[in-house]
């Protein structure tokens, strides 16, 4: 009898990722779908703001129910942020996907989760569009709707500096 499960497991072994996540403090995030990784990032940032006492809002519909789709994900002060979450890949980089220029937001907030470390950075939309945040690459050949931003860990900030960085960005003159 044909053992398709064995065939698939043999193929999976050829494409096995690094074991750096096995037993790591944040290993659980690697078992989630990409959509859920984004939701974890959003919930984490909101909970972090709660703990730090940073007032924030999230987009709501006219009935006061949180929107699933919006041009921005979180608002701190009068600044709206598009939030992107990425896990560290096998090469040690973070790839923040689906960054869109055409959406209405004031700044980009990137949350990078490594096996045992949490990092972030935030840039104004002007810094994103002028490549001061890094070079954005189109995610689809010949298209210009969605981009990815690849960052090394040393170009991100440790999460312990979140409060100071976000508050300085929000209060900076625009």
């Amino acid at each position: 009898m044909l053992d398709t499960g064995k065939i698939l497991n043999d193929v999976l072994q050829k494409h096995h990722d690094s074991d750096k996540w096995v037993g790591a403090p944040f290993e659980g995030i690697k078992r989630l779908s990409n959509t859920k990784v984004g939701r974890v990032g959003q919930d984490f940032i909101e909970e972090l703001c709660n703990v730090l006492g940073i007032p924030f809002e999230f987009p709501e519909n006219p009935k006061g129910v949180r929107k699933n789709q919006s041009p921005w994900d979180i608002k701190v002060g009068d600044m709206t942020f598009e939030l992107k979450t990425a896990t560290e890949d096998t090469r040690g980089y973070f790839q923040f996907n689906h960054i869109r220029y055409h959406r209405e937001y004031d700044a980009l907030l990137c949350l990078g989760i490594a096996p045992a470390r949490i990092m972030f950075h935030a840039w104004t939309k002007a810094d994103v569009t002028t490549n001061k945040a890094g070079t954005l690459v189109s995610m689809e050949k010949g298209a210009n709707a969605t981009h990815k931003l690849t960052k090394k860990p040393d170009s991100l900030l440790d999460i312990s500096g979140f409060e100071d960085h976000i508050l300085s960005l929000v209060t900076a003159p625009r």
Side-chain angles (χ1 to χ4, degrees):
M1 175 171 228
L2 181 63
D3 188 349
T4 55
K6 180 183 179 334
I7 294 169
L8 179 58
N9 279 323
D10 289 346
V11 171
L12 286 170
Q13 285 301 319
K14 292 177 187 175
H15 297 279
H16 186 267
D17 279 338
S18 165
D19 288 336
K20 71 181 179 180
W21 286 90
V22 176
F26 307 125
E27 175 184 9
I29 200 161
K30 293 304 281 186
R31 294 191 192 108
L32 301 176
S33 69
N34 289 340
T35 302
K36 285 188 178 181
V37 168
R39 187 69 202 170
V40 164
Q42 188 167 333
D43 289 353
F44 172 78
I45 292 296
E46 290 174 7
E47 189 58 30
L48 183 59
C49 286
N50 276 329
V51 169
L52 295 171
I54 300 172
F56 69 92
E57 300 171 39
F58 46 80
E60 296 178 338
N61 68 21
K63 294 182 179 181
V65 176
R66 183 183 199 135
K67 289 182 178 179
N68 288 331
Q69 295 292 321
S70 173
W72 54 274
D73 297 309
I74 188 169
K75 184 176 184 180
V76 178
D78 67 347
M79 185 174 269
T80 57
F81 290 86
E82 169 80 334
L83 173 60
K84 295 298 177 186
T85 304
T87 57
E88 188 178 67
D89 66 19
T90 57
R91 298 179 309 126
Y93 290 85
F94 296 92
Q95 294 186 38
F96 300 99
N97 295 329
H98 302 292
I99 298 168
R100 297 169 178 95
Y101 291 130
H102 65 279
R103 295 240 174 123
E104 291 184 32
Y105 57 88
D106 300 314
L108 175 66
L109 172 57
C110 291
L111 178 67
I113 301 174
R117 188 171 170 212
I118 307 167
M119 292 158 275
F120 82 101
H121 211 307
W123 303 271
T124 65
K125 189 172 183 183
D127 285 345
V128 172
T129 58
T130 59
N131 289 328
K132 290 180 184 170
T135 303
L136 285 126
V137 177
S138 177
M139 291 190 67
E140 184 180 344
K141 190 173 182 172
N144 201 25
T146 183
H147 299 82
K148 76 175 175 178
L149 176 64
T150 302
K151 300 300 282 181
K152 294 179 182 180
D154 63 2
S155 65
L156 300 175
L157 306 170
D158 188 81
I159 198 66
S160 63
F162 179 82
E163 182 176 19
D164 290 340
H165 188 75
I166 291 299
L167 294 179
S168 68
L169 189 63
V170 168
T171 58
R174 286 185 259 159

